[in-house]
Amino acid sequence: MDQLANLLAGFGDALTPMNMLWVLVGCLLGTSVGVVPGLGSSMAVALLLPLTFALDPTGAFIMFAGVYFGGLFGDSTMAILMNTPGQGSAIASTFEGHQMAKSGRAAQALATAAIGAFLGGMIASVVVVFLAPRLADLSAAFGPAEYLALALFAFVATSSIVSDSVVKGLASLVLGLSIAVVGIDSFTGAERFTLGVPEMFDGISIVTVTVGVLALGEVFHVASRIRRDTAAHEIRPSGRPFLSRAEFVEALPAWLRGTAIGLPFGIIPVGGSEVPTFMAYDAERRLDRRRRDPQFGKGAIRGLAAPEAAGNATTGMAMGALLALGLPVSSTAAIMLAAFQQYGLQPGPLLFTRSADLVWPLLASFFIAMVVLLLLNLPFAAMWSKLLLIPRPYLYAGIMVFCGLGVYATSAQRFDLFLLLGIALVGFAMRRHDVPLAPLMIGLVLGPLFETSLRDGLLSSDGDYAVFVSHPIPVAIYALLALVLVVVALGKIRSRSSADV
């Protein structure tokens, strides 16, 4: 009841005209920046940070919250329409969301993403309000062994499930891991696979890889087939700018499952919402294989609904972890932590007692931002889908320009533009030879976590590998992985047997 009373008091402060203005400004800015390939909520918060010195802390953080959530909405818009995610959290949405757009259901796809983001964010906000004091207990249960098991599960499950060829899936995974290890070794300080190029000492940015593989790679692929396969790639928005009752009923379980997957990752420092969105997508794909008429690969609405809900659930919980624990679990949360310190505040358990006049209006603004973003995005879903009516030569030329601008804005180095071109050619080659892209992105995102967990565990146990199976959580994860592999193997054996017959 204390939390409820504090939240109601927070709504009283957040619903003032000036704070409502900051919520609206933050949502609009976040959505606008998220639409630009290569940028996203973290970039928007970083750019706006120096501009908020004149604001009071409550107004500044309310606006940051709108930017944070709005960036995710913008990322999803471009991921669905142009197959160009602004950040890694929207990568999983491209697989089925863009297929929906290509089949003329762009407006329905955008509505699915908006409602999923709303549900995931709202449920996460409720959990944060009432369970913030217990976040530390769950986070403390994860150590190197648990992180290693989680990363290994994602590696093997993704590479074996998302592709009909296990060899192609593993090849994509290895490519992603190879990119992830480029740079300076954080343990020894030695150079690794940099070819002596100083610009590669900090590694290859995930933004550059994401934009290159998913955006420019798609542009090159479309350009290579534009004269031979005109009708197949012609995208025309049509149909209703809202979900039918049947579509809503089909998407609802996926929204709820995605939210359930995303919530725990908000307090587990695995780099943000990339991991839960991929896991949510993978879970729906495995469920789809049991159907008589599998829809994945054709624009399955559940393959879009689950990642969107998971991403926003993770984001909401990440804000709770930042406020309650002082634990930044993503790059945007890390920037938010710097913003708190800029105002002389230190997030953690004492923040709720020492700065309650800031925390509770901020938590109330989460709910307000979700409603504002839903009201902004649902009515404009049909309008956003009109972007697909732009002639393809102009459309893809514009995408290339924004890709270059987005990558250059993150580093201000011309070398990254040449690197972007090289990675785009790799993405183009993968598409031509039907090599899946998801394992590459999983390897890139989770590679550093896997390596750090492996080395931390071995250092803490004097080289004893038994440390990775000495706790119940990793053992349970490995058992689940073995079960998944058995199910996948049996499914492929049955499909081959039926094909032979």
Side-chain angles (χ1 to χ4, degrees):
M1 295 302 295
D2 290 339
Q3 284 96 333
L4 185 59
N6 291 329
L7 181 62
L8 292 176
F11 272 108
D13 293 333
L15 289 173
T16 61
M18 186 55 67
N19 285 335
M20 286 294 295
L21 175 63
W22 293 130
V23 171
L24 180 61
V25 169
C27 291
L28 288 173
L29 287 175
T31 303
S32 301
V33 174
V35 168
V36 180
L39 302 183
S41 56
S42 59
M43 178 63 68
V45 172
L47 293 174
L48 290 171
L49 184 59
L51 304 179
T52 57
F53 286 113
L55 297 180
D56 66 284
T58 302
F61 285 107
I62 285 177
M63 185 177 70
F64 283 151
V67 171
Y68 198 179
F69 289 108
L72 296 176
F73 276 76
D75 294 340
S76 301
T77 298
M78 288 303 289
I80 292 168
L81 296 181
M82 311 298 182
N83 200 29
T84 309
Q87 290 199 130
S89 58
I91 295 172
S93 298
T94 62
F95 301 131
E96 299 302 320
H98 190 58
Q99 289 295 327
M100 291 181 67
K102 290 172 68 174
S103 63
R105 296 186 292 156
Q108 293 94 308
L110 292 173
T112 301
I115 297 173
F118 173 78
L119 288 177
M122 289 293 283
I123 294 173
S125 299
V126 172
V127 173
V128 167
V129 168
F130 292 100
L131 297 181
R134 296 178 176 84
L135 292 178
D137 296 336
L138 183 59
S139 181
F142 275 75
E146 287 75 16
Y147 292 136
L148 182 77
L150 188 66
L152 190 61
F153 180 92
F155 289 160
V156 178
T158 305
S159 59
S160 62
I161 291 174
V162 301
S163 174
D164 293 332
S165 171
V166 177
V167 174
K168 290 183 178 179
L170 290 175
S172 178
L173 174 66
V174 171
L175 181 59
L177 291 173
S178 301
I179 297 174
V181 298
V182 173
I184 300 295
D185 186 350
S186 59
F187 282 81
T188 64
E191 299 177 23
R192 299 190 303 184
F193 308 105
T194 62
L195 304 177
V197 179
E199 290 83 357
M200 296 179 66
F201 287 173
D202 290 333
I204 300 176
S205 170
I206 187 174
V207 172
T208 303
V209 178
T210 300
V211 173
V213 170
L214 297 177
L216 275 188
E218 176 73 8
V219 170
F220 292 162
H221 181 65
V222 171
S224 70
R225 304 181 61 85
I226 196 167
R227 296 185 182 276
R228 292 179 293 165
D229 198 11
T230 303
H233 288 278
E234 197 70 29
I235 303 176
R236 294 293 177 189
S238 62
R240 299 161 279 99
F242 54 87
L243 297 182
S244 66
R245 180 184 178 89
E247 289 170 333
F248 186 88
V249 170
E250 182 177 5
L252 182 59
W255 283 326
L256 297 178
R257 283 190 293 264
T259 300
I261 292 173
L263 287 174
F265 284 90
I267 56 176
I268 300 174
V270 294
S273 53
E274 291 90 346
V275 177
T277 53
F278 273 109
M279 292 187 66
Y281 171 81
D282 180 56
E284 296 302 321
R285 185 182 179 91
R286 284 188 276 113
L287 290 174
D288 183 71
R289 286 178 176 268
R290 301 178 183 177
R291 290 189 164 194
R292 293 182 178 179
D293 182 23
Q295 295 297 314
F296 269 57
K298 306 174 185 177
I301 192 171
R302 290 173 292 108
L304 172 62
E308 286 297 320
N312 274 263
T314 301
T315 299
M317 286 295 288
M319 290 297 294
L322 178 64
L323 294 173
L325 309 175
L327 177 68
V329 298
S330 67
S331 58
T332 310
I335 298 172
M336 294 283 283
L337 177 60
F340 273 102
Q341 294 171 347
Q342 168 186 295
Y343 285 97
L345 301 171
Q346 180 57 48
L350 296 179
L351 185 68
F352 282 79
T353 56
R354 294 178 177 176
S355 303
D357 58 335
L358 167 65
V359 172
W360 291 105
L362 177 58
L363 290 175
S365 73
F366 292 175
F367 296 91
I368 299 172
M370 289 294 106
V371 175
V372 169
L373 285 166
L374 186 66
L375 295 177
L376 285 175
N377 283 272
L378 269 184
F380 290 105
M383 184 192 72
W384 280 116
S385 66
K386 298 297 183 183
L387 291 172
L388 298 174
L389 296 175
I390 300 173
R392 283 184 297 163
Y394 302 117
L395 178 63
Y396 286 103
I399 291 176
M400 290 187 67
V401 171
F402 280 113
C403 288
L405 289 175
V407 170
Y408 188 77
T410 61
S411 62
Q413 292 184 354
R414 287 179 293 177
F415 175 81
D416 282 354
L417 296 178
F418 293 105
L419 190 61
L420 172 68
L421 180 60
I423 293 174
L425 293 175
V426 172
F428 166 68
M430 293 176 69
R431 284 174 170 82
R432 288 295 296 268
H433 297 284
D434 295 323
V435 178
L437 304 177
L440 184 150
M441 303 311 303
I442 280 287
L444 177 67
V445 172
L446 289 186
L449 176 69
F450 178 83
E451 180 187 14
T452 302
S453 301
L454 177 64
R455 297 171 79 169
D456 283 344
L458 293 176
L459 287 173
S460 63
S461 63
D462 293 328
D464 184 7
Y465 285 88
V467 69
F468 298 114
V469 291
S470 59
H471 298 92
I473 294 179
V475 172
I477 294 175
Y478 291 134
L480 181 61
L481 174 59
L483 179 62
V484 169
L485 291 178
V486 170
V487 171
V488 172
L490 291 176
K492 291 186 176 181
I493 291 174
R494 290 174 182 175
S495 62
R496 288 180 181 178
S497 300
S498 60
D500 294 337
V501 174

